[in-house]
Amino acid sequence: MLDEEMDEEEELDEESPTPVGVKLGSTRTVLVQPQGNVVRTHETLTCLATYQDVLTGKRRAVYGEEAANEYPERVQFMLRSGLPEDDERAETAATFFNKFARANNVPEDSVVVYAIPTIDNERGLSNLAEVIEQSGIGSQLIRSYPESLCGSVPALGGGLNAIERIFIAINMGSTNLEACAYRRGEQLSGFSTGSVTGNEVDRWIANNVEEETQGRVNIDQTTAREYKEEHGDFNNFQPFTDIIQQPGGGTHEFTIERSVVDALDRYVDEAVNEIANEFLPQLANRYIKIYKQTLEEPIVLTGGMACIPGLVQEFEDRLSKELQHEVEVTAPEEPVTAAARGAQRIAQRFVEDDVY
């Protein structure tokens, strides 16, 4: 977990509202807030489970890792598509986030900036807005900014340098691949696809494992995601072994050599294809001068897939080859938490400038 020391000039008056950054993600939710002279990052799985209290008979709820570990058969990941799609998921998301915010002592008297996906889903975004408004925090100010912009803030220097620049950001999330050119914070020519995602990689890994083991092993997507996060590495992948319980008793030990790396290799190829042949031509057709300028600036990768060791360099090499033009690609430290950390910096600027 990344905690950052606050500079002296960043320290806020004790009477000022607390600046908070939040990313409600499909797999993980991140909350960032100052505590003393340290900006702390809190992270949990975006899930909730309910159970009946054996003493009182009341329904109670647990969230995050506790819910996933103790109630795996009925835990709800209510934002699997990136947004709460219906009233039931919105209600579950509100319960989850209220418990998470209270557990981390987020004050009601706060300025809260949310990093949200750039998805053309009016109902889902409306439901997310309701979850945010009902959270009981952000009484001073609530604002939302694109996830890829917030995630780029920690990648492009101190403060809010990203807001003053012209660049391309690509969000490699679980549910969508998003790309956008930004001009001093303004979105230009946004692009999103659900066909190249972290969740798709998990499905590919599961299918590859079945094929590599000649049908002897079937894993679920949660296990596939764990393989990806624990063993995915473009720089130094090492084959690994696992053990499963067989029907009727006994265990089966197996070794994975290609399933994870092949899925990751396919992901980078398909992501490069979407950016080079869909997003960038669209940008060039609309803003040719901006297009040329952005290719001379670092392209920022954000989102969970950017955490895979070596992926940023691999993406840079393959995109440069596809475009026949050398480009520079970068990523923030700890991409999973970067959007919430960037959102917190924006919230802090609102507080510093008394704009709330």
Side-chain angles (χ1 to χ4, degrees):
M1 197 64 62
L2 185 66
D3 291 336
E4 300 176 333
E5 292 285 344
M6 295 182 69
D7 295 333
E8 289 186 9
E9 59 268 24
E10 294 177 333
E11 293 183 6
L12 303 171
D13 189 288
E14 291 184 1
E15 296 182 358
S16 298
T18 302
V20 181
V22 175
K23 171 64 177 76
L24 278 160
S26 58
T27 301
R28 291 182 175 84
T29 288
V30 183
L31 187 154
V32 181
Q33 64 176 338
Q35 294 178 332
N37 64 345
V38 176
V39 178
R40 298 206 177 278
T41 301
H42 309 280
E43 181 183 353
T44 190
L45 291 176
T46 308
C47 62
L48 188 82
T50 60
Y51 67 96
Q52 187 175 32
D53 189 310
V54 296
L55 298 179
T56 65
K58 294 181 178 180
R59 298 300 297 179
R60 300 194 182 279
V62 291
Y63 71 90
E65 284 75 6
E66 186 178 14
N69 291 332
E70 294 185 7
Y71 298 95
E73 77 283 1
R74 63 172 183 265
V75 68
Q76 298 180 65
F77 282 81
M78 71 295 294
L79 301 180
R80 277 302 194 196
S81 66
L83 294 168
E85 297 289 346
D86 52 39
D87 292 342
E88 181 180 352
R89 289 185 177 87
E91 182 179 351
T92 303
T95 301
F96 155 78
F97 187 59
N98 285 338
K99 293 182 73 67
F100 183 47
R102 287 199 303 270
N104 289 289
N105 300 313
V106 182
E108 179 181 349
D109 182 35
S110 50
V111 169
V112 183
V113 171
Y114 290 83
I116 63 172
T118 309
I119 301 175
D120 185 15
N121 182 335
E122 185 174 341
R123 182 177 183 185
L125 289 170
S126 176
N127 287 339
L128 181 61
E130 288 187 18
V131 170
I132 292 169
E133 291 167 0
Q134 296 172 11
S135 65
I137 63 175
S139 64
Q140 293 295 324
L141 184 72
I142 294 175
R143 289 287 185 272
S144 298
Y145 289 90
E147 180 181 349
S148 59
L149 176 62
C150 293
S152 298
V153 168
L156 295 176
L160 296 180
N161 291 343
I163 305 297
E164 300 301 321
R165 298 178 64 165
I166 298 175
F167 67 97
I168 288 171
I170 301 170
N171 185 46
M172 296 180 151
S174 296
T175 56
N176 284 282
L177 175 71
E178 301 172 5
C180 189
Y182 288 99
R183 179 175 58 193
R184 300 185 183 275
E186 176 191 5
Q187 289 181 278
L188 303 176
S189 194
F191 169 83
S192 178
T193 177
S195 64
V196 186
T197 69
N199 289 342
E200 277 298 305
V201 174
D202 300 341
R203 281 189 278 271
W204 297 340
I205 290 173
N207 293 336
N208 290 350
V209 167
E210 182 178 4
E211 182 177 345
E212 185 172 347
T213 61
Q214 298 179 328
R216 293 190 297 272
V217 176
N218 291 278
I219 61 173
D220 57 26
Q221 282 188 229
T222 298
T223 302
R225 175 174 55 81
E226 292 170 354
Y227 284 0
K228 176 184 70 181
E229 294 177 350
E230 294 173 13
H231 302 284
D233 191 334
F234 280 95
N235 295 327
N236 188 32
F237 173 79
Q238 298 293 326
F240 62 95
T241 60
D242 203 353
I243 299 174
I244 60 169
Q245 189 72 30
Q246 292 183 317
T251 59
H252 173 64
E253 182 176 304
F254 58 97
T255 299
I256 296 300
E257 295 185 350
R258 298 296 314 172
S259 296
V260 174
V261 291
D262 285 351
L264 292 174
D265 191 61
R266 176 180 175 183
Y267 173 83
V268 174
D269 274 345
E270 295 195 7
V272 165
N273 180 65
E274 292 289 343
I275 298 303
N277 299 309
E278 297 294 336
F279 167 65
L280 288 176
Q282 172 184 299
L283 176 63
N285 286 336
R286 295 179 181 178
Y287 306 96
I288 184 61
K289 290 185 177 180
I290 297 295
Y291 165 78
K292 292 178 179 179
Q293 185 171 342
T294 55
L295 290 188
E296 302 305 320
E297 299 292 330
I299 296 173
V300 181
L301 300 187
T302 66
M305 290 300 294
C307 295
I308 304 296
L311 184 144
V312 173
Q313 185 61 52
E314 200 68 28
F315 189 88
E316 176 181 291
D317 293 343
R318 297 189 199 186
L319 183 60
S320 296
K321 183 178 180 180
E322 182 71 18
L323 296 176
Q324 297 183 348
H325 176 86
E326 291 295 325
V327 296
E328 178 184 351
V329 177
T330 189
E333 184 180 2
E334 296 196 13
V336 167
T337 64
R341 290 187 284 118
Q344 195 277 331
R345 288 194 197 177
I346 295 172
Q348 184 166 300
R349 179 63 61 84
F350 281 130
V351 173
E352 291 171 350
D353 293 347
D354 292 325
V355 185
Y356 57 88

